[in-house]
């Protein structure tokens, strides 16, 4: 891997970054979320997004978080929305409430099967059947910007990568103008996928979804469920660090830096970070690639060295 990219504040094209957050479950998580949001806001992301819990379980919390972002920050938030276990009328009501709150960007998703991963997806009898239908439904309500998902290693339910690209094409035809990928650790997977998508004539930006590995065990478990592969070299790097949080953090930063610098080296100009509502690591990676705040970052306390 050639790390020839030299970040510079004067480089011709500052990479564009966007950040994903999840809605908080309690007061402590709420404090942590807003600390992270305010810190990352200084980097002027092109947008931020807030996830929607499985089966719409965070409907109110997602809405409240996105609304607060509109009201209290200069950010352009996108609300994730799924159509699982809900009628069209219910989903349309959520879409309309976002429009009324001034939200103009939705990340449209089908959602996982209500019976859990690995079970068959059964659409709600009165609901949107697939993501492309949801995209069309959103467009019918308001002129939202619509982002969708993409799967460099194929969605676990898809018969083939080609079938998945067919689904992506349908989402684009319905009005999606950007896709964010499922996370991956081997950049070749992303670039091979991108080649296939471009060969099919799909031209929308396909943002690589970057997951900083804050906790290897958790990430590996999540990856197994989503069909993302975890290379042995990655497991080796975190081996033996289960109880050593400080070293784990440094290794996580090095691993993420390596991935992101390689993506940029190979032509990526837009990156999407799954922040897990934690700013530090993402902020540092952004600094590394030349994405800086206009004003100096507020001091962040660290343990004495
Ligand atoms: P889709 O594009 O709908 O595809 C799902 C499957 O259906 C694929 O196998 C596809 O090939 C197949 N398919 C689609 N259309 C057709 C068709 N016409 N004929 C045959 N097969 C078809 N989940 C949440 O619950 N909340 C979130 O906030 C959330 N955010 C996400 C953000 C990103 C960036 C990503 C990558 C995923 C996110 N997910 C979220 C997970 C997502 O909901 C699940 O992966 C879900 O199982 C698929 O929904 P989708 O819209 O991503 O996939």
């Amino acid at each position: 891997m050639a790390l020839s990219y030299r970040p510079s504040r004067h480089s011709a094209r500052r990479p564009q970054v966007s950040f994903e957050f999840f809605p908080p479950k309690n007061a402590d998580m709420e404090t942590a979320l807003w600390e992270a949001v305010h810190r990352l806001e200084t980097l002027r992301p092109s947008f931020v997004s807030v996830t929607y819990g499985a089966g719409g379980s965070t409907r109110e919390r997602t809405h409240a978080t996105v609304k607060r972002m509109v009201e209290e920050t200069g950010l352009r938030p996108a609300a994730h929305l799924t159509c699982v276990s809900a009628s069209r009328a219910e989903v349309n009501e959520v879409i309309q409430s976002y429009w009324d709150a001034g939200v103009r960007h939705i990340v449209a998703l089908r959602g996982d099967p209500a019976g859990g991963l690995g079970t068959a997806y059964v659409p709600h009898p009165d609901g949107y059947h697939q993501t492309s239908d949801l995209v069309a439904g959103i467009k019918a309500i308001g002129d939202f910007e619509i982002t969708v998902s993409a799967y460099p290693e194929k969605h676990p339910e898809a018969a083939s990568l080609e079938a998945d690209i067919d689904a992506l094409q349908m989402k684009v035809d319905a009005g999606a103008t950007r896709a964010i990928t499922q996370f991956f650790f081997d950049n070749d997977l992303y670039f091979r996928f991108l080649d296939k998508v471009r060969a099919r004539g799909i031209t929308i930006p396909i943002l690589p979804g970057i997951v900083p590995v804050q906790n290897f065990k958790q990430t590996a478990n999540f990856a197994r469920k989503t069909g993302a592969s975890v290379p042995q070299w990655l497991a080796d790097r975190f081996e033996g660090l289960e109880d050593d949080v400080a070293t784990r953090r440094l290794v996580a930063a090095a691993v993420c830096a390596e991935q992101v610098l390689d993506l940029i080296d190979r032509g990526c100009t837009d990156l999407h970070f799954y922040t897990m509502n934690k700013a530090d690591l993402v902020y540092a990676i952004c600094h590394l690639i030349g994405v800086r705040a206009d004003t100096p970052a507020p001091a962040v306390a660290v343990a004495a060295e």
Side-chain angles (χ1 to χ4, degrees):
M1 186 179 72
L3 297 186
S4 59
Y5 177 74
R6 293 288 173 268
S8 155
R9 298 199 71 168
H10 309 291
S11 60
R13 172 88 157 83
R14 172 192 190 264
Q16 298 291 306
V17 293
S18 52
F19 306 125
E20 181 184 291
F21 300 98
F22 62 86
K25 278 193 193 132
N26 55 43
D28 285 350
M29 287 169 84
E30 173 118 17
T31 306
L33 165 72
W34 289 100
E35 272 176 22
V37 168
H38 290 310
R39 187 154 156 75
L40 292 174
E41 182 185 5
T42 62
L43 300 178
R44 289 168 290 128
S46 43
F47 68 93
V48 296
S49 75
V50 182
T51 60
Y52 200 63
S57 54
T58 65
R59 178 175 159 159
E60 281 75 26
R61 281 184 281 134
T62 300
H63 192 276
T65 306
V66 173
K67 192 162 177 271
R68 185 169 163 192
M69 284 175 171
V70 170
E71 289 168 353
E72 295 181 17
T73 73
L75 293 164
R76 296 174 58 234
H80 290 220
L81 178 63
T82 69
C83 47
V84 62
S85 302
S87 68
R88 275 172 194 253
E90 286 164 339
V91 175
N92 289 351
E93 198 185 309
V94 177
I95 300 165
Q96 187 63 53
S97 68
Y98 278 124
W99 185 267
D100 295 343
V103 179
R104 296 290 181 265
H105 183 176
I106 290 182
V107 180
L109 304 140
R110 185 198 70 183
D112 286 322
L117 288 161
T119 64
Y121 181 80
V122 182
H124 186 285
D126 301 319
Y128 290 109
H129 279 217
Q130 54 197 17
T131 314
S132 52
D133 298 336
L134 174 63
V135 172
I138 295 168
K139 276 284 180 199
I141 291 175
D143 189 18
F144 285 95
E145 181 178 349
I146 302 181
T147 296
V148 291
S149 64
Y151 295 86
E153 296 183 72
K154 169 179 111 49
H155 183 270
E157 292 167 40
S160 65
L161 196 56
E162 290 304 321
D164 239 2
I165 298 176
D166 288 342
L168 180 61
Q169 177 74 68
M170 289 174 71
K171 295 189 274 192
V172 173
D173 291 345
T177 52
R178 178 192 297 101
I180 299 171
T181 74
Q182 184 58 277
F183 68 86
F184 56 87
F185 296 107
D186 176 352
N187 289 348
D188 288 347
L189 292 166
Y190 169 76
F191 288 108
R192 276 203 290 272
F193 176 70
L194 201 59
D195 285 347
K196 285 194 159 79
V197 167
R198 297 294 181 239
R200 293 280 296 276
I202 299 173
T203 57
I204 61 165
I206 311 279
L207 276 51
I210 312 294
V211 71
V213 182
Q214 319 258 6
N215 178 327
F216 178 75
K217 214 169 152 191
Q218 254 176 27
T219 307
N221 281 340
F222 190 54
R224 254 187 295 282
K225 292 179 187 159
T226 59
S229 60
V230 178
Q232 186 56 46
W233 58 258
L234 187 65
D236 291 345
R237 286 179 182 184
F238 286 95
E239 189 192 357
L241 297 180
E242 292 77 13
D243 301 322
D244 183 350
V245 178
T247 309
R248 217 167 63 202
R249 276 199 196 135
L250 294 171
V251 172
V255 165
C256 190
E258 189 179 45
Q259 177 176 25
V260 165
L261 288 170
D262 182 58
L263 284 168
I264 290 179
D265 239 4
R266 294 164 74 176
C268 267
T269 54
D270 293 73
L271 304 157
H272 184 78
F273 289 91
Y274 296 109
T275 69
M276 312 295 176
N277 294 1
K278 292 181 180 146
D280 284 3
L281 181 48
V282 174
Y283 192 94
I285 300 296
C286 286
H287 185 90
L288 198 62
I289 60 174
V291 175
R292 310 271 169 93
D294 281 337
T295 47
V300 175
V302 287
E305 291 180 64

